[in-house]
């Protein structure tokens, strides 16, 4: 059996854990630079605040309806997510973190377990230990567990937040209930073709012939059909190293100062280098990009990028930052106000196993230096050690005027009980 454990209104729930005054009140969480709404509590959804709403257009609406509007607090959300996932590992070793607020788990050798009771235990422990409410959907396959979770979320009173598809009757009832567009794995393109075939519910898709599905949708569509029939096709994904690593950000405002942009590129490049070292990889390719604000039609627009090919693989912040900053002069166009920049590293190879270059190689002092920097930053936090081309005051310059404290990741923000 598989389960999908999903945190309810995760960003809003994280804020409520440390600010009980927000319980029962509508909450909206904003994107980077306080741009638009990326998460809403159920109360905010009931008020018809749309997802993606630009806050400058909806500010008056939020005030009129007493919607608490907060900047996204990713250090807090990431830490709370990690705590939830660690709790799940106490119930089964087979856990696939699917996103920041949901995970698939597999129950091997649990033939005689009461899954309704086990799901209740999972929910209760996560709620007690973290304060985060969850819903649990349990079924014979990953695709069906997604549907079971939706049922648990849609009918909390009837299910108490846990729904188990453990019979043919329940499977068919679930497939007859869920619309085609809500099925995990059925995108817009597939929806269009299936609706042309007369499919409206998941059960209509399952009732199509195997040969027709395989012919029109290939092995991926066929596997999904079998999953919905209760025949497992998808295993839990194992954690793998990334093939490319990106750090891209929108600026808090638009900038035409090349020195400011070089500092941002240096910081983004250093972040990529740190991520490389965490997965024991090095890169051969650096991709640097700059773009203006496409939403401001009255301003001159420009978007440019350059690819840098390195003679040897590296994960040194010094090398990657230096190479990335050097190409800014070639991309930058005077008079253009830039809104976004990014650094992407690719051509990844294991740091301890790659083809050597006969004529060029990295300074051997870099590796022990990077280890020392990572160790100090891990110990003291807030990126205390930086390279000289970075802003010494902060890592990201984002507009976060409604940011809550980092209750669990910054010693200065820990709640004091008097």
């Amino acid at each position: 059996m598989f389960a999908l454990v999903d945190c309810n209104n995760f960003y809003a729930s994280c804020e409520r854990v440390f600010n009980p005054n927000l319980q029962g009140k509508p909450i909206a969480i904003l994107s980077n630079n306080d741009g638009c709404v990326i998460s809403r509590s159920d109360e905010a959804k009931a008020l018809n605040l749309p997802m993606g709403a630009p806050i400058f257009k909806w500010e008056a609406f939020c005030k009129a309806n007493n919607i608490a509007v907060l900047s996204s607090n990713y250090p807090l959300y990431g830490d709370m997510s990690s705590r939830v996932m660690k709790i799940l590992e106490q119930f089964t070793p087979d856990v696939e973190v699917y996103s920041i607020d949901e995970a698939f788990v597999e129950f091997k050798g649990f033939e005689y377990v009461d899954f309704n009771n086990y799901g209740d235990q999972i929910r209760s422990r996560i709620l007690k230990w973290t304060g985060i409410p969850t819903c649990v959907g349990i079924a014979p396959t990953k695709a069906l567990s997604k549907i079971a979770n939706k049922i648990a979320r849609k009918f909390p009173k009837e299910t108490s937040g846990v729904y188990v598809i453990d019979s043919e009757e329940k499977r068919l009832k679930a497939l007859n209930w869920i619309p085609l567009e809500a099925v995990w794995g059925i995108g817009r393109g597939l929806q269009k073709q299936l609706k042309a075939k007369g499919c409206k519910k998941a059960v209509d898709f399952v009732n199509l012939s195997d040969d027709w599905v395989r012919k029109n949708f290939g092995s991926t569509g066929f596997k999904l059909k079998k999953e919905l029939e209760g025949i497992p096709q998808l295993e839990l994904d194992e954690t793998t190293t990334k093939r490319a690593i990106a750090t891209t950000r929108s600026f808090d405002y638009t900038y035409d100062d090349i020195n400011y942009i070089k500092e941002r590129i240096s910081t983004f490049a250093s972040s990529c280098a740190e991520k490389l070292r965490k997965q024991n990889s090095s890169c051969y390719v650096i991709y640097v990009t700059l773009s203006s604000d496409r939403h401001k039609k009255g301003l001159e627009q420009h978007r440019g990028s350059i690819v840098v090919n390195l003679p040897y693989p590296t994960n040194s912040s010094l090398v990657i930052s230096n190479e990335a900053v050097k190409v800014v002069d070639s991309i930058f166009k005077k008079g253009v106000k830039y809104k976004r920049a990014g650094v992407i590293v690719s051509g990844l190879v294991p740091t301890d196993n790659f083809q050597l270059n006969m004529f060029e190689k990295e300074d051997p002092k870099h590796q022990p230096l990077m280890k020392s920097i990572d160790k100090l930053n891990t110990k003291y936090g807030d990126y205390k050690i930086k390279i000289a081309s970075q802003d010494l005051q902060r890592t990201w310059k984002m507009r976060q005027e409604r940011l809550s404290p980092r209750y669990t990741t910054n010693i200065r923000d820990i709640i004091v009980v008097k």
Side-chain angles (χ1 to χ4, degrees):
M1 296 288 275
F2 292 86
L4 179 72
V5 182
D6 185 23
C7 300
N8 302 343
N9 301 317
F10 182 60
Y11 290 177
S13 294
C14 289
E15 300 288 353
R16 284 171 169 162
V17 169
F18 300 96
N19 186 356
N21 292 326
L22 295 174
Q23 293 289 349
K25 294 184 178 179
I27 302 173
I29 307 296
L30 302 180
S31 62
N32 289 342
N33 296 316
D34 292 346
C36 57
V37 175
I38 59 168
S39 179
R40 304 159 297 164
S41 66
D42 288 338
E43 295 83 359
K45 293 174 186 176
L47 292 170
N48 295 318
L49 176 67
M51 186 69 117
I55 194 59
F56 75 93
K57 290 184 178 180
W58 289 81
E59 187 86 55
F61 176 87
C62 291
K63 287 182 179 179
N65 290 278
N66 295 316
I67 299 175
V69 181
L70 299 168
S71 302
S72 46
N73 190 339
Y74 294 118
L76 174 64
Y77 308 152
D79 183 67
M80 294 299 287
S81 172
S82 177
R83 293 171 188 236
V84 170
M85 302 310 166
K86 287 293 182 183
I87 293 171
L88 287 178
E89 291 173 1
Q90 298 176 1
F91 290 91
T92 172
D94 301 306
V95 179
E96 176 195 333
V97 180
Y98 187 64
S99 68
I100 193 171
D101 63 346
E102 59 183 332
F104 285 107
V105 299
E106 186 174 3
F107 301 112
K108 295 178 181 177
F110 285 64
E111 288 82 3
Y112 303 105
V113 168
D114 180 343
F115 283 111
N116 278 293
N117 179 264
Y118 207 58
D120 283 332
Q121 291 182 45
I122 292 173
R123 290 190 73 242
S124 297
R125 189 174 300 178
I126 292 173
L127 183 63
K128 184 176 181 179
W129 290 12
T130 68
I132 302 295
T134 58
C135 283
V136 180
I138 302 175
T141 69
K142 289 175 76 174
L144 284 174
S145 73
K146 266 277 193 180
I147 297 175
N149 185 277
K150 288 181 182 293
I151 293 172
R153 184 81 169 89
K154 181 71 174 178
F155 306 103
K157 291 182 180 180
E158 294 83 354
T159 64
S160 298
V162 178
Y163 190 73
V164 182
I165 297 177
D166 54 3
S167 67
E168 185 67 5
E169 180 185 0
K170 285 186 175 181
R171 183 184 73 85
L172 292 174
K173 187 176 180 180
L175 295 181
N176 275 289
W177 170 76
I178 193 164
L180 197 64
E181 56 271 17
V183 176
W184 180 55
I186 296 184
R188 291 182 180 179
L190 193 55
Q191 285 176 38
K192 189 175 180 180
Q193 296 180 64
L194 289 173
K195 286 184 177 179
K197 189 74 174 174
C199 298
K200 295 181 179 179
K201 301 282 187 177
V203 70
D204 300 325
F205 170 58
V206 171
N207 287 336
L208 296 173
S209 71
D210 287 353
D211 291 339
W212 189 89
V213 171
R214 191 191 292 274
K215 180 180 178 181
N216 289 274
F217 305 129
S219 62
T220 301
F222 179 74
K223 285 181 178 179
L224 176 58
K225 180 178 185 293
K226 290 299 170 186
E227 282 267 318
L228 295 176
E229 289 175 356
I231 304 170
Q233 303 289 313
L234 305 174
E235 301 294 333
L236 294 187
D237 291 339
E238 295 182 2
T239 303
T240 58
T241 56
K242 298 178 181 178
R243 297 182 180 180
I245 290 173
T247 302
T248 60
R249 294 288 187 278
S250 293
F251 305 145
D252 48 355
Y253 301 100
T254 54
Y255 290 91
D256 57 4
D257 180 355
I258 191 171
N259 292 320
Y260 172 88
I261 291 171
K262 283 183 176 180
E263 188 280 326
R264 291 292 83 200
I265 291 294
S266 175
T267 296
F268 299 167
S270 296
S271 174
C272 287
E274 182 188 2
K275 293 173 184 176
L276 283 171
R277 295 193 294 273
K278 282 183 177 179
Q279 70 170 41
N280 195 33
S281 296
S282 296
C283 72
Y284 271 107
V285 180
I286 305 169
Y287 177 82
V288 182
T289 179
L290 277 178
S291 58
S292 56
D293 190 345
R294 58 188 176 86
H295 298 293
K296 295 186 177 180
K297 305 298 183 182
L299 298 178
E300 182 179 357
Q301 300 293 314
H302 176 243
R303 181 174 182 176
S305 60
I306 287 182
V307 175
V308 180
N309 293 296
L310 302 172
Y312 51 82
T314 183
N315 59 22
S316 167
S317 297
L318 298 173
V319 175
I320 295 174
S321 176
N322 185 52
E323 294 295 334
V325 169
K326 280 197 297 189
V327 302
V328 173
D329 288 310
S330 301
I331 305 174
F332 183 82
K333 190 175 179 181
K334 194 172 181 179
V336 174
K337 291 183 178 291
Y338 291 94
K339 179 63 176 176
R340 190 174 182 84
V343 176
I344 303 171
V345 292
S346 59
L348 306 191
V349 294
T351 298
D352 54 2
N353 183 16
F354 59 85
Q355 182 66 46
L356 298 173
N357 188 310
M358 185 178 294
F359 303 105
E360 294 185 74
K361 61 181 180 179
E362 186 174 86
D363 188 332
K365 295 179 181 178
H366 282 204
Q367 285 302 314
L369 176 61
M370 293 302 114
K371 285 183 180 179
S372 297
I373 290 174
D374 291 341
K375 186 176 180 179
L376 288 168
N377 283 334
T378 299
K379 183 176 181 179
Y380 296 106
D382 287 341
Y383 297 93
K384 297 294 184 185
I385 309 298
K386 300 181 181 180
I387 57 179
S389 55
Q390 289 182 258
D391 186 328
L392 300 179
Q393 300 303 313
R394 52 181 173 173
T395 304
W396 308 126
K397 290 182 176 178
M398 291 192 296
R399 186 187 303 151
Q400 293 180 309
E401 298 169 353
R402 314 162 197 254
L403 187 64
S404 58
R406 291 170 291 175
Y407 299 103
T408 64
T409 60
N410 190 317
I411 192 69
R412 293 185 295 273
D413 290 344
I414 290 178
I415 293 175
V416 177
V417 179
K418 297 181 180 179

